[in-house]
Each structure stands twice: as C-alpha cells, then as structure tokens.
C-alpha cells in the first residue's frame, strides 16, 4: 500500500484493512467493518425501469412503505462502521432525498469516499453546482442506452426523458470541467445479451458528455419484466468472452466491463460470493441485505434492533455459512449473478 493512500485514510480505515488481512473472511461472524457501505437513501423514484425490483413487483422487491433514510440513523451507521472505505448513495432515486447533501458531508468527514448513482433526470444546473461544491468522490448516471429505443426497452421512458438525461449529463460534465473538480464522472449501462455489442457506442456517448468512466453492469434476473426474466443473462460463453477480450478499449475512457455469469451444471445450487463478507447494504427503515444485488429487507435483520447486526446477525450468518460450506443458496437470484463464484475456495476472501 502506498504511503500517500495510507495518509489519506483514517486510522480506523487502516486498522480495518489490517484486520481484514489478519482475520481472513472464512467465518460467518465478521470481526471487521465492511469494506463498502451501500445506503438506499430512498426507495422513491420518478422512473419505472424494466430492470428494477423497486418499482416493479419482483420476488426480491423491498418491503412497502420504507421511509427515506433518517439522518440520525445514517450517522449512527457511519459512526459504527467508519472503517469502511467507500459509501454508495443509491435508491430509488437518491436526488429525491431532502438531506442528501448533509449525508455526503457526514461520510466525507470520516474520510470515506462518497459515490452517488442517479438516473440523471433531476440533475438540474442548480443541483449540479450543489453536488460539485460537496466532497463527492464520484457521480454515476445510469443512462443505460445510446438511443431512445434502447432506453425505452430498459428504462421504460420516452424520447423526451432520454434526451433530458443526456442533456443533464453533458451539462454536468461541462460544469465539472470548468470547475476543475477532482472527482470521477461515470456513465453506467445495464448490459445483457441484447446490447453487449453496443459497448463501443457507450464510449462515444461518454466522450460526448465529458464522462471519464464507462461502467457496464450485467443484467440481473429479478423476474420483474421480460428484460429480467433470465433469458438475457450474460453467461460466460465463448462468444461473450471472445467479444469482451477482443474489444478495443479507449485510452481516454476508463472501462469497467460487465462480469460474465459462470455457467455450471444445472444441479449445482451453490455459490461462494465475497459480498456478504465485504458489503453492508441498508435502507431508511434500517433493514439490511447481504449484498448490493438484493434490496435490503427485514428478513435479513434490522439496525434498529441491533446496530452490529452486519457482523453477526442470524440471517447474515446463515448466508455466509452457505458460502463457506458449499450449501445450496437460500436466495436463488445468486445462481444467475455475476459474483456467484467471486470468493476463491483457496482464499475465502
């Protein structure tokens, strides 16, 4: 680890990184803080995307009537798990939260890198300037498409909505450049078997709005629409692998490619994923989740009942045990997830 990185992090973060090395993640109870925290600051959204279980009924939809994240609960979680390095503020649509700016400041005061993911429709000039004046590390716009038809297929929006998102993205990029703001500006794209070949077009769009990163996130089989019914999963096939390996990536754009989902025998119902050992996900009701894929739910536990539930909650221990002992996954969505076998059996970390 470079001295400059050590200097920029807090003592708690450096100690947590050391703890994760000294105590490998091979037990159901975690003795360390999560490496990253994902806070669903609101479940409200002004979109109804065909890929999202928040606004379309799915077996993995969150509970009804989850409130916006209270600042006091947010502060308690950040204080308790301040060894985390990264905070993702997501939703729903996070720009709908009235206290978003305050939460950014709270997390940044702990030297936690703060990232926001937005659909971009509410990114007015005023909101853009507000965000660029805050200690943000990264802003991601989930644009998902390079044309109106693809936008409608994935997000369900119309041509006007798509143009609004692209216009707002271009303005954000322009103002960021004028302010010489040192932060990452990403465009993300839900990528499936139908649009994998469009990745070169994603680079062109990112360049046109002055974004520095293209992030492709593989589609998940939430079963909330035809897009997420399972047929579009990006399986690790020779064809898909060869396409990604032969893809010419630009020098001026950072590219985070989609992760292909491992194909195994149909009788293999196990997973071994790092997320339950590294990621804390929570919502405004205090519900938690074992990963960034499954929305927080009270069946996994609740921070209002136990603030240290991420470390040793019964439901989370059960899922970690499944990963460690090669037991059948209790969450079937894990079987079609790109992170399915991300925990190497020989390392358990």
């Amino acid at each position: 680890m470079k001295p400059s990185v050590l200097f920029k992090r807090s003592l708690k973060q450096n100690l947590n990184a050391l703890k994760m090395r000294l105590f490998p993640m091979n037990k159901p109870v975690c003795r360390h803080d999560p490496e990253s925290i994902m806070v669903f600051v609101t479940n409200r959204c002004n979109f109804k995307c065909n890929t999202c279980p928040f606004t379309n009924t799915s077996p993995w939809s969150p509970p009804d009537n989850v409130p916006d994240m209270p600042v006091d609960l947010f502060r308690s979680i950040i204080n308790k798990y301040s060894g985390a390095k990264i905070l993702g503020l997501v939703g729903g649509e996070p720009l709908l939260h009235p206290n978003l700016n305050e939460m950014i400041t709270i997390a940044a005061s702990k030297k936690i890198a703060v990232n926001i993911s937005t659909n971009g429709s509410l990114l007015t000039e005023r909101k853009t300037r507000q965000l660029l004046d805050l200690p943000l590390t990264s802003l991601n716009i989930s644009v998902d498409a390079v044309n109106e038809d693809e936008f409608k297929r994935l997000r369900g929006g119309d041509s006007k909505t798509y143009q609004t998102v692209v216009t707002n993205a271009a303005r954000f990029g322009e103002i960021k450049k004028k302010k010489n703001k040192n932060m990452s500006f990403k465009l993300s794209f839900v990528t499936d078997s139908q649009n994998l070949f469009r990745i070169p077009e994603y680079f062109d769009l990112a360049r046109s709005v002055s974004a520095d990163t293209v992030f492709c996130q593989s589609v998940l089989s939430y079963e909330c629409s035809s897009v997420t019914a399972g047929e579009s999963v990006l399986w690790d096939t020779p064809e898909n692998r060869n396409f990604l390996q032969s893809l010419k990536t630009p020098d001026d754009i950072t590219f985070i490619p989609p992760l292909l989902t491992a194909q195994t025998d149909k009788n293999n119902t196990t997973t071994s994923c790092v997320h339950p050992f590294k990621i804390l996900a929570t919502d405004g009701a205090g519900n938690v989740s074992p990963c960034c894929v499954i929305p927080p739910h009270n069946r996994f536990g609740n921070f209002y009942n136990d603030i240290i539930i991420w470390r040793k909650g019964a439901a989370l221990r059960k899922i970690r045990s499944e990963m460690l002992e090669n037991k059948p996954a209790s969450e079937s969505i894990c079987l079609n997830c790109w992170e399915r076998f991300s925990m190497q059996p020989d390392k358990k970390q």
Side-chain angles (χ1 to χ4, degrees):
M1 189 176 293
K2 295 179 181 180
S4 59
V5 175
L6 283 169
F7 178 76
K8 290 177 182 177
R9 292 181 186 166
S10 69
L11 176 61
K12 182 79 178 288
Q13 288 168 326
N14 289 327
L15 290 175
N16 193 55
L18 180 62
K19 189 182 292 186
M20 292 175 76
R21 286 178 175 272
L22 293 176
F23 306 107
M25 288 169 279
N26 58 5
K27 297 183 184 301
V29 174
C30 291
R31 299 176 63 178
H32 55 275
D33 283 358
E35 190 171 64
S36 62
I37 302 173
M38 177 170 284
V39 179
F40 292 82
V41 295
T42 181
N43 283 10
R44 296 180 294 126
C45 191
N46 58 330
F47 277 19
K48 190 175 174 63
C49 299
N50 294 325
T51 56
C52 182
F54 281 80
T55 52
N56 294 281
T57 303
S58 159
W60 292 277
S61 292
D64 294 332
N65 303 316
V66 171
D68 289 356
M69 170 62 69
V71 173
D72 288 345
L73 175 61
F74 178 83
R75 184 180 284 107
S76 296
I77 293 170
I78 294 298
N79 286 341
K80 188 63 184 177
Y81 298 102
S82 58
K85 295 187 295 183
I86 301 168
L87 169 71
L89 299 176
V90 297
E93 173 46 52
L95 297 190
L96 289 170
H97 197 293
N99 303 115
L100 185 68
N101 295 0
E102 183 178 359
M103 290 189 285
I104 293 170
T105 303
I106 290 170
S109 71
K110 300 290 185 180
K111 298 190 177 180
I112 298 175
V114 184
N115 307 325
I116 290 181
S117 185
T118 172
N119 63 36
S121 65
L122 303 178
L123 204 57
T124 61
E125 180 175 352
R126 179 172 178 271
K127 177 56 70 174
T128 290
R129 293 187 182 278
Q130 282 183 351
L131 292 174
L132 288 171
D133 285 338
L134 289 166
L136 264 183
T137 304
S138 170
L139 181 131
N140 169 69
I141 297 181
S142 302
V143 64
D144 284 350
V146 291
N147 60 47
E148 296 165 4
D149 289 339
E150 185 72 354
F151 188 80
K152 185 175 182 179
R153 180 177 79 88
L154 294 170
R155 314 227 77 173
D158 55 20
S159 58
K160 182 179 179 181
T161 306
Y162 175 69
Q163 292 303 326
T164 296
V165 172
V166 173
T167 298
N168 289 352
R171 180 173 55 225
F172 184 90
E174 181 183 6
I175 296 175
K176 173 183 173 293
K177 189 159 48 176
K178 287 180 179 178
K179 283 180 167 285
N180 196 26
K181 176 75 173 185
N182 183 24
M183 63 175 288
S184 178
F185 174 29
K186 304 176 183 177
L187 296 188
S188 67
F189 300 84
V190 169
T191 310
D192 64 4
S193 57
Q194 292 191 46
N195 62 12
L196 180 65
F197 70 95
R198 289 191 178 277
I199 289 178
E201 298 175 67
Y202 300 164
F203 301 146
D204 294 336
L205 179 60
R207 198 174 287 113
S208 72
V209 300
S210 300
D212 54 71
T213 302
V214 164
F215 170 39
C216 291
Q217 182 172 355
S218 302
V219 70
L220 282 157
S221 52
Y222 283 123
E223 301 175 26
C224 60
S225 70
S226 59
V227 178
T228 63
E231 291 85 354
S232 296
V233 171
L234 273 178
W235 294 111
D236 188 4
T237 63
E239 181 182 8
N240 289 340
R241 198 180 320 119
N242 289 340
F243 173 82
L244 289 173
Q245 289 174 349
S246 62
L247 191 64
K248 185 178 181 181
T249 56
D251 295 330
D252 58 334
I253 300 288
T254 298
F255 176 46
I256 304 173
L259 297 177
L260 302 178
T261 301
Q263 286 185 307
T264 61
D265 185 278
K266 290 184 178 179
N267 295 321
N268 188 334
T269 58
T270 65
T271 65
S272 55
C273 176
V274 298
H275 281 206
F277 301 85
K278 286 189 170 185
I279 295 176
L280 184 166
T282 187
D283 65 15
N287 300 318
V288 298
S289 167
C291 66
C292 67
V293 165
I294 304 172
H297 199 282
N298 49 24
R299 72 180 183 275
F300 300 120
N302 188 283
F303 277 121
Y304 280 116
N305 298 329
D306 184 2
I307 192 65
I308 62 171
I309 197 167
W310 183 82
R311 292 200 180 116
K312 61 179 184 178
L316 299 183
R317 289 203 315 268
K318 178 177 181 292
I319 289 173
R320 290 172 187 146
S321 294
E322 292 169 0
M323 305 293 178
L324 295 167
E325 298 170 21
N326 208 34
K327 293 181 177 179
S330 56
E331 297 290 331
S332 61
I333 195 171
C334 297
L335 305 181
N336 287 349
C337 179
W338 63 85
E339 293 281 7
R340 183 179 180 187
F341 295 117
S342 58
M343 183 169 60
Q344 298 299 318
D346 59 333
K347 294 182 180 179
K348 293 286 189 266
Q349 61 182 21

